Every structure is written in structure tokens, then in C-alpha cells.
């Protein structure tokens, strides 16, 4: 079995644009990694984070991502697109902006404690991304952040999603989680 490269990453957004508007609405930011197909020049979503509810300064949890899903080479261009999540589905997401970078760019930003600018289509700054952690590792399987013998450890994207939501609403907000997932607007 050949080893793969994994990126362990923690991102934080700061001063992100509020696309919910109005008196009471606050955006629920989610980010997506996108890579360009060199044959068609189309950008494809390769990874999606969990949403951070009602927060313009989100701190996403640590993630470990297979580098091969993000790019072919560490200097390849990748886009991190930010949207306002909607429980009604992807077609209701509101665009917040994009950062253009590479895996090496993320590693450099983490080492220098610098930020990346989120820009909209008019090149206006709509927020900032701080790379709190970016580390590469080579393994036959991704490292887990919980001991493997822990039955409560997350084992996949759905567990990470549910645990991220629970972290936002607390243990007593389980009904709120089900309302977010299955409820009506």
C-alpha cells in the first residue's frame, strides 16, 4: 500500500461579510476547497467544511484532508470559496468571497501567522482567513485526533458535521440540530 499525503488544517475567519442582512440574520460560513481541471478550466469542489452558525468570526475545527483530493502538486492553484450555508440546500447558499492560494501558500501562512484576503467578484475584501495550523504528513491512513480505542471518536464526515453543530448549540440543543437538518424554514 502506498502512502498518501495529508494536510492537517485549522482555519479561522475574521470580519467576514454578513450576507444574511436584516436586523437579526448573521451568516453561517462554510468553506469549500476547489481545484481547476486543466483540460476544461472548470473548478470542482473537492472538500467542504462544516458550517459555523451565526458567526462572522468563525473558528472551524481541525480537519485532516487527503492532499490528492485538493491538488496534484503543492504549488497548484486552489481556491477556498466561502458561502453562507442554508439548510434549504446548496442552491440557497450566498457567496461571501474566495481566497486563491496553494498548499504551500497555506503552509507559509501558518508559519508566518499571516492572513489571506477573502475577495468577492469585484475584488473587494469581504473578510480574512487565518491559517491557525497547516501541517503535511505522510501516512497509509489519516491521523485521528481522538484515540482509536475511543468509541466516541468521530469516524467520518457525518460525525464531524454533527459534532460541529453540537459544538455550536451545546448538548441541550439536540432538538435544534434536528430542526436545522430536518426542519422547515
Amino acid at each position: 500500500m502506498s502512502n498518501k499525503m495529508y494536510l492537517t488544517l485549522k482555519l479561522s475567519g475574521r470580519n467576514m461579510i454578513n450576507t444574511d442582512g436584516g436586523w437579526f440574520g448573521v451568516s453561517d460560513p462554510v468553506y469549500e476547497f476547489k481545484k481547476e481541471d486543466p483540460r476544461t478550466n472548470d473548478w470542482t469542489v473537492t472538500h467542504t467544511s462544516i458550517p459555523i452558525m451565526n458567526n462572522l468570526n468563525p473558528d472551524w475545527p481541525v480537519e485532516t484532508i487527503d492532499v490528492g483530493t485538493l491538488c496534484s502538486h503543492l504549488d497548484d492553484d486552489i481556491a477556498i470559496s466561502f458561502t453562507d450555508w442554508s439548510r434549504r440546500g446548496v442552491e440557497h447558499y450566498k457567496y461571501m468571497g474566495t481566497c486563491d492560494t496553494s498548499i504551500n501558500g497555506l503552509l507559509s501562512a501558518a508559519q508566518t501567522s499571516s492572513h489571506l484576503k477573502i475577495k468577492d467578484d469585484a475584488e473587494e475584501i469581504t473578510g480574512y482567513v487565518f491559517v491557525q495550523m497547516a501541517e503535511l504528513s505522510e501516512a497509509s491512513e489519516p491521523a485521528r485526533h481522538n484515540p482509536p480505542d475511543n468509541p466516541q471518536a468521530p469516524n467520518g464526515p457525518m460525525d464531524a458535521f454533527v459534532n460541529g453543530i453540537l459544538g455550536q448549540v451545546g448538548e441541550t440543543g439536540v432538538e435544534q440540530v434536528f430542526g436545522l437538518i430536518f426542519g422547515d424554514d
Side-chain angles (χ1 to χ4, degrees), residues 112-174:
T112 61
S113 300
S114 59
H115 63 269
L116 304 172
K117 294 175 185 173
I118 303 170
K119 294 183 179 181
D120 63 14
D121 291 335
E123 293 295 311
E124 296 290 326
I125 296 172
T126 59
Y128 301 90
V129 176
F130 289 84
V131 183
Q132 304 294 336
M133 175 175 49
E135 299 172 355
L136 286 178
S137 61
E138 189 175 350
S140 56
E141 291 185 24
R144 294 189 182 266
H145 295 287
N146 294 308
D149 59 346
N150 179 355
Q152 303 302 318
N155 292 313
M158 183 52 86
D159 287 344
F161 176 76
V162 170
N163 288 337
I165 296 292
L166 286 173
Q168 295 297 311
V169 299
E171 291 294 325
T172 60
V174 172

Side-chain angles (χ1 to χ4, degrees), residues 8-66:
T8 301
L9 183 69
K10 178 169 179 35
L11 298 180
S12 296
R14 293 296 177 261
N15 302 321
M16 297 180 78
I17 190 170
N18 186 7
T19 58
D20 270 354
W23 289 81
F24 302 107
V26 176
S27 294
D28 309 315
V30 61
Y31 64 83
E32 298 175 325
F33 278 94
K34 296 180 178 183
K35 73 176 177 179
E36 186 176 21
D37 182 334
R39 292 172 286 135
T40 63
N41 295 330
D42 291 331
W43 288 84
T44 305
V45 174
T46 59
H47 176 80
T48 303
S49 74
I50 64 165
I52 304 297
M53 308 306 286
N54 300 311
N55 198 327
L56 301 179
N57 297 299
D59 290 311
W60 283 278
V62 174
E63 298 187 272
T64 301
I65 307 165
D66 179 351

Side-chain angles (χ1 to χ4, degrees), residues 50-88:
I50 64 165
I52 304 297
M53 308 306 286
N54 300 311
N55 198 327
L56 301 179
N57 297 299
D59 290 311
W60 283 278
V62 174
E63 298 187 272
T64 301
I65 307 165
D66 179 351
V67 171
T69 64
L70 302 178
C71 60
S72 299
H73 305 284
L74 299 181
D75 285 320
D76 286 353
D77 290 333
I78 57 174
I80 308 172
S81 180
F82 296 86
T83 54
D84 181 4
W85 179 83
S86 173
R87 66 179 169 212
R88 294 182 292 172

